[in-house]
Amino acid sequence: MKAIETTATINEKGELTLDKSLEVTKPQRVRIIVLLSEEDEIDTDETPTEIVIEGIRQGLHEALTGQTIALSEMWEGIDAE
């Protein structure tokens, strides 16, 4: 059995709408596990999409404008034991 993780929205009728296509090539039955966050629970593992996109844009801008440092310099001053 193959597992695919994705996100979805449940509407007021209880219907599930996937955020993106699963790219499955043939019709077939599947098993679904739905993980619901508690109302007061914050998912610390999921970074909001807007923050992720901004980080990618910033990294791309820095790379294109030469604002980079050598990998060997990244560890200078860090004492790893």
Side-chain angles (χ1 to χ4, degrees):
M1 184 172 282
K2 178 181 177 182
I4 300 172
E5 183 176 344
T6 189
T7 54
T9 303
I10 299 176
N11 67 18
E12 57 279 340
K13 294 179 183 178
E15 299 168 331
L16 188 69
T17 302
L18 300 178
D19 292 342
K20 63 180 182 175
S21 173
L22 296 181
E23 300 180 11
V24 176
T25 58
K26 65 178 182 174
Q28 56 188 298
R29 292 199 39 86
V30 297
R31 294 174 56 194
I32 305 293
I33 297 173
V34 178
L35 303 174
L36 299 171
S37 297
E38 298 294 329
E39 286 194 28
D40 59 347
E41 178 184 30
I42 297 173
D43 188 353
T44 57
D45 291 334
E46 188 169 324
T47 303
T49 304
E50 297 80 19
I51 294 174
V52 172
I53 291 171
E54 181 55 34
I56 292 170
R57 285 185 178 139
Q58 179 181 350
L60 181 58
H61 172 74
E62 290 172 4
L64 293 174
T65 58
Q67 300 175 37
T68 60
I69 61 171
L71 184 59
S72 60
E73 294 176 20
M74 291 179 71
W75 298 105
E76 286 182 7
I78 296 178
D79 295 326
E81 294 180 18

